[in-house]
Amino acid sequence: MKRYDVIVIGGGPAGLFSAGVAARQGASVLLLEKNPRCGAKILITGKGRCNVTHSENDPRKFAEHFGRNGRALLTALYTFGVEDVVAFFEERDVPLKIERGGRIFPEFGEARDVQRALESFVRDAGVEVRTSCEVKNLLIDDGLVKAVETRVGNFATGNVVLATGGLSYPETGCTGDGYAWAKSCDHQLVTPEPALVSVKLRENWTADASHFNLKNVRITLRADGKKVDERFGEAFFTHSGIGGPIILDMSSHIRDALKQGEVRLFLDFKPAVASDLFDKRLQRELAEHSNRAFGNSLGKLLPRDMIPVFVRLVGIDPKKKCHSVTRVERQRLLKLFKELELEVTGCEGFRRAIITSGGISLKDIDMRSMRSKRIANLFFAGEIIDLDGPTGGFNLQECWSTGYLAGINAARRQEG
Ligand SMILES: Cc1cc2nc3c(=O)[nH]c(=O)nc-3n(C[C@H](O)[C@H](O)[C@H](O)COP(=O)(O)OP(=O)(O)OC[C@H]3O[C@@H](n4cnc5c(N)ncnc54)[C@H](O)[C@@H]3O)c2cc1C
């Protein structure tokens, strides 16, 4: 049986990166991926453009975005941070640029270019890549992983990096396999939950409004009437509810609030204008179109496709002349613009979750090396770890940083 210094399981961003880094240290490295090609999930990141990282390059501030567990990321971020990622991709002809909200994307290319750059990185570093090769188990003896069992036979190894991801978007290959192996050798698992998800609404009209982005809106989350969260930015209606960056980033609060009771969202389409001023604006619009049908008067205030939805929700006859719209009707219209009330009935599941929260407990990983505290030659990288960040490139940066640390340390362990 051929023996490798390092076997990396999972060819996502974390696995590809740690395999290349370990091989560059001189280790013999085998990367095992169950899909026919590595990086299936990379292709769907950032709506096909891949939000590679985020411009916050102070590791402490970056780590704060990961909440309570964020501090554990500091060594990884100081070792391989945002600037290192930018340099890595620029060296491979994928220059990056900062976009709105500090999100960093390929300047010219798309997610496919990121996938190709990683594939050529592992190839040039001399990693042996086996795709369509599903790992079935880790063979452990005397407190060490001795071999990896696959459908096509066993591979002996000195070290293993587990980078099998979480449970989200299972069609990309993420079925939580690594959790079971880690659990079977005494690692604690923090219950995996779908995170960064769209939410379902009681309202049955959202499909009609799902064609366009709601830019620069404010959404307030209230649980049993109490304000829990409020965010400003981009969202969009979906067939069964509402999604988009601000909803995804609120979704963990929404999930928690749903466990307690009634949850409502209040959408302000015009957050930059106070209610009384916006009421004056409505009065001006109605006066300007005084002899027009109400249904044709909202063109300056709303995207065209949204107008029929608004007209239906406000309950004003669209044929009614604007000069006949009553004060009470105008107040209803004002409320729709400034405080559209939406009742949340649930959150989407793993099938459409951007990431998985929970995972291998940080208590069982030495986060300065990514090495298991239970099995001396086992390392972890990427989404499999109990770390979850918001949208904006934070989660991929976690993969690059933890992948780097795991790869370096797995390779060094065999040297020493
Ligand atoms: C729609 C969508 C958009 C996203 N957009 C962004 C974004 O723009 N920016 C950002 O920062 N993050 C984004 N994310 C999150 C990001 O994609 C993940 O954080 C990241 O892919 C996790 O990388 P990973 O290597 O840990 O795991 P994964 O990418 O999940 O890779 C794990 C790999 O392991 C393989 N594997 C699993 N089990 C086995 C087995 N038994 N044997 C062999 N191989 C196995 C899988 O096939 C898979 O290829 C997005 C996620 C989704 C779903």
Side-chain angles (χ1 to χ4, degrees), residues 9-15 32-35 39-41 44-46 50-52 133-135 163-166 168-169 172-175 177 181 353-355 381-384 392-397 399:
I9 308 177
L32 299 171
E33 165 57 49
K34 71 173 161 190
N35 286 328
K41 197 177 267 180
I44 55 169
T45 56
C50 189
N51 179 188
V52 180
C133 187
E134 183 175 349
V135 172
T164 46
S168 57
Y169 273 72
T172 61
C174 308
T175 45
D177 303 10
W181 308 325
I354 299 294
I355 56 160
E383 196 174 323
I384 189 171
F394 293 94
N395 291 296
L396 279 175
Q397 179 66 48
C399 293

Side-chain angles (χ1 to χ4, degrees), residues 54-244:
H54 189 276
S55 65
E56 177 53 76
N57 59 12
D58 174 345
R60 290 191 176 276
K61 290 194 184 139
F62 194 102
E64 280 169 14
H65 290 270
F66 285 75
R68 254 182 315 135
N69 286 348
R71 283 180 59 79
L73 251 187
L74 281 176
T75 304
L77 288 169
Y78 275 114
T79 312
F80 197 84
V82 171
E83 283 165 3
D84 302 307
V85 171
V86 173
F88 172 87
F89 283 103
E90 293 203 341
E91 273 164 30
R92 280 158 190 84
D93 292 331
V94 187
L96 304 177
K97 71 162 181 207
I98 302 175
E99 297 193 3
R100 199 148 41 94
R103 291 160 196 258
I104 298 186
F105 286 89
E107 184 169 7
F108 308 111
E110 47 189 17
R112 194 168 297 283
D113 300 292
V114 173
Q115 182 199 35
R116 285 202 198 106
L118 290 167
E119 282 176 332
S120 69
F121 172 53
V122 295
R123 198 175 46 240
D124 297 348
V127 175
E128 184 179 330
V129 180
R130 283 193 180 230
T131 52
S132 302
C133 187
E134 183 175 349
V135 172
K136 302 304 291 174
N137 211 350
L138 306 181
L139 303 178
I140 295 172
D141 187 25
D142 215 9
L144 292 173
V145 189
K146 294 288 162 71
V148 170
E149 180 189 337
T150 77
R151 284 197 184 280
V152 295
N154 297 349
F155 298 95
T157 188
N159 300 280
V160 166
V161 177
L162 257 193
T164 46
L167 283 162
S168 57
Y169 273 72
E171 70 268 28
T172 61
C174 308
T175 45
D177 303 10
Y179 295 150
W181 308 325
K183 258 179 93 174
S184 72
C185 47
D186 294 334
H187 296 82
Q188 289 176 56
L189 183 69
V190 177
T191 307
E193 298 226 42
L196 303 184
V197 286
S198 300
V199 300
K200 297 176 196 159
L201 298 175
R202 171 98 48 223
E203 286 67 25
N204 58 9
W205 48 262
T206 56
D208 300 333
S210 63
H211 317 292
F212 49 84
N213 274 349
L214 305 169
K215 288 207 175 118
N216 304 326
V217 295
R218 177 166 53 216
I219 298 184
T220 307
L221 164 64
R222 288 184 183 276
D224 284 336
K226 260 198 237 123
K227 182 167 151 184
V228 173
D229 197 353
E230 182 174 84
R231 292 177 196 241
F232 175 86
E234 209 175 301
F236 51 78
F237 289 109
T238 66
H239 277 258
S240 54
I242 188 166

